[in-house]
Every structure is written in structure tokens, then in C-alpha cells.
Amino acid sequence: MPWNFDYLIVGAGFAGMTIAERLVRTKGARVLIVERRNHIGGNAHDHYDDAGVLIHRYGPHYFRTNSPRIREYLSQFTDWTPVDYTIKSFTRDRYWNFPVNLNTFEQLIGRPATSEEFIEWLEKTRVPVENPRNSEDIILSQVGYELYELFFKGYTLKQWKRHPRELDASVCGRIPIRTNRDDRYLKEDFQALPSAGYHRIFQRMTEAMGDNVKILLNTDYREVLPHVQFGHMVYTGPIDAYFDFVHGKLPYRSLRFEFESFEGEALAARERLSGKTGFWQPAMQVNYPDASVPWTRIVEIKHATGQRCAPTTIVREFPEDFIAGKEPYYPVPNAESQSIYKRYKEMADALPGVSFIGRLATYRYYNMDQVVGMALAEADRI
Ligand code: FAD
Ligand code: UDP
């Protein structure tokens, strides 16, 4: 006897969990969620590590949104702890305020300055580009060569193994440039972390679905296809894999995360450098644009979660090629990958009974809120 469900949902990340919750609670649907990993939450998964520190397993996840609808939707499942996400960049043997702002300019020229002076300097220094087409153009057109070389070129080469010229302007264009002293990393109105962590959101969504949901972990959806009947599928995995790579493989970048915990003597030695009791480094995130180190950033999420505990955990992020056995963390935004994606999208659009949503299935460098927005819209539509 096959299992019967109204919907089969592939992937238990923000996309899959949000659409499942909406289909159950607005339409009374019965849904099966199938997830390859051993946990729900996708890349937003967090948990307490062996040292007792709350960590983000797949890189730092800073929640932000400009959408009241998305914020209200998620607020059913969590309270929020407001965070001013601030980071540093480490190059030329020192920490810099980053993203570029008036403080960074003062560090560059070695003396106090005003916004007017910085604006004047930028006018002289920036490279006029009428239509910034790629990530090099967009940064040069805002700040010129020196700051581009200092903070962006090396980091981007390391992260993407591609020149900034080979990436859409939107990649480096995500990073704000400011002439005042606002040094928050993000631009959105609402910036906060879920007070009890991300995993709690996914647990509450699961609880809200009650008996109408069944979740299978450690399972590829293809394994269950012969055993289930369903009316509609929502697919949130990589779109090229869904279509057996008939148009070739889409490029992705992967990452390796190296976690390290500190306490006692080892942490005390670092506290003298970080200037903060209980912390290894001076900020939640430090970016390393130089080619001399193989990681792109070191994150100490305890700065942002506000957890009070003696130990701390840092994580170094090493960019890697996407090969067998690795996770496809980042779609690569450029013209070449878009032309491949377009062919898959045409196939997806022509396929009845399957919705493709989320970062991997739409091959978009989306943030969590954008993925939640997409899932809410699709739940209304189907
Ligand atoms: P995912 O979370 O990737 O979920 C898809 C799920 O599908 C996965 O769990 C996968 O295992 C499963 N799956 C795939 N194929 C199959 C299959 N065949 N069978 C069964 N299951 C399958 N966003 C922010 O808003 N702020 C941030 O600070 C931020 N930082 C990030 C840092 C990193 C390093 C990365 C990689 C992403 C970051 N993001 C951030 C983006 C955020 O992770 C995504 O927007 C969001 O998690 C996407 O949700 P999703 O459900 O589309 O995909
Ligand atoms: N970037 C950079 N230098 C930095 C930070 C970011 O050149 O110090 C570029 C880089 O190409 C990166 C992109 O801007 O991939 C987006 O950065 P963000 O921190 O938003 O990346 P994510 O958190 O998504 O990895």
C-alpha cells in the first residue's frame, strides 16, 4: 500500500518548512517532507556544540528583512533579539572598520575626517562607470582602486575562484558603502536573531503542523518516490539535479567549516587581543581579504546571539570547489550560469504538478527572508 499525501516536499530548509506549514494550516493539507540531511532547517540550522556554545552549523545566518509580512509570519514561531551586525576586515596587519564608512576612511588616511571630506575624496577617487555590469565595476564606481584592492578583489577571488569581473554586480553590490559612521554590515530595516535560535523556529513549525506532517530525515526523495502517492511536489533541491543534468551542471561554490572552541587559559590569551572577556576576536565576524590565509572569514557567533557562557567557539570558512560529497552552498551569479539555468527553468515551467522554490531550485543568491517570501507566495498560488 503506498503512502498518500496531498504534497511531497523535498528539502526541510526555510523554503520547504514554510510552504509545508502554510499548506497544512491554510488548506488542511497532508504533507510529507523528505530531507537528505539528519536535521530540519537546511543551511539555517543551529545547535549547541560540545562546549555548550550555540553555533550556526553552515556559516553565519544574520536574519534581516524589509518585509513586515515575512517578519510577522516568522514571529508566530519566535521572539527576536535585535542585533546590530558589525564586523571587521583584517588586512595590512590590522583590523579595519567594514563595510567601508567614515571610520574606515580615517583609518586609511591616519587622521580624523568629516563626511564632506570623504565624499570629496570619493568623487576624485571613484572610477566613473556608467553602467556597472559586474562586481569589479560596481565597487570601482563607488570607491575606486585602493579600497577595491584592499577589501574586495582578494576576498572575491578566494570566495568564488573567479575575478570580480566574472560575477554579476549584485555579488559585491550587496555590501553597503557609507559616508557616515554607520558601520552595520547589512542594509535592511529589521535586523535580529531568533531569540531561542533557528532550530526552535523549525521545531515550532513542525509542532504547528501536528499530525498533518510526516518528516523523513536522512532520505533522498528519489528513494521514496516509488512508495508514495501525492497530488503535487514542491522541490527545493538543486534544479540541475532534478533534471539529471541534461543541460550540464550548474556551477556552485562550496565551503569547509573548521570549528574551534576555547576556554580557560587558551581563551584568556585571546581576550587580551579581542579586548572582550569571553571572546576570541573583537567582532562577530572578521573578513580576511588577503591571499596569505586560505579562509575568507572567522565568525564568533556568540557576539550576536548574546549567549552568556564561559567558553566560545569560532569557525573558519574555507571556500572549496563543489565536487562529489560537498554541499552546493552558493549559486554563482553570472551570465554563463544564467544561460544554463534558463534552460532548466523552461523545463520546470513546462512541468505540471511540481513547484520549484528556494535558493537551489531557483538558482538565486537569496537570503532567508527572500526564500520565506517566495514560499509564502507559492503557498498562496497552488
Ligand atoms: P536550503 O537551506 O539549502 O534547504 C534545502 C534542503 O534541501 C537542504 O537541507 C538539502 O539537504 C535538501 N535537499 C536537497 N536535495 C535533496 C534531495 N534530493 N532529497 C532530499 N533533500 C534534499 N541568508 C540570510 O538571510 N542571512 C545570512 O547571513 C546568510 N548567510 C549565509 C551563509 C552561508 C555560508 C550560506 C551558504 C547561506 C547563507 N544565507 C544567509 C542564505 C540562507 O542559507 C538561504 O537563503 C536559506 O537557507 C535557503 O533556504 P532553502 O530552503 O532554499 O535551502
Ligand atoms: N565581499 C568582499 N569582501 C568582503 C566581504 C564581501 O569582497 O570583505 C564580496 C565577496 O565577493 C562576497 C560578496 O561580497 O562573496 C558578498 O558578501 P557577503 O558577506 O554578503 O557574503 P555571504 O555572507 O553571502 O557569504
Side-chain angles (χ1 to χ4, degrees), residues 60 62 64 87-89 98 135 151-157 159-160 167 170-175 185-186 255 285 287-289 296-297 317 330 359 365 367:
Y62 308 136
R64 76 285 205 133
I87 76 162
K88 303 262 181 237
S89 187
F98 191 81
S135 275
F151 297 120
F152 293 93
K153 192 175 168 190
Y155 187 105
T156 299
L157 278 166
Q159 167 75 2
W160 301 93
L167 292 163
S170 59
V171 175
C172 286
R174 283 162 67 86
I175 309 296
Y185 197 36
L186 309 174
L255 293 171
Q285 177 177 318
N287 289 358
Y288 289 82
T296 47
R297 56 188 178 190
E317 270 178 45
Y330 292 91
R359 177 145 145 153
Y365 188 178
N367 295 322

Side-chain angles (χ1 to χ4, degrees), residues 26 50 53 59 95 98 100 105 125-126 163 184 249 309 336:
T26 63
D50 291 343
V53 182
Y95 292 110
F98 191 81
V100 172
F105 179 59
T125 314
R126 64 191 200 89
H163 196 279
R184 289 172 308 152
K249 291 195 169 175
C309 56
E336 196 188 327

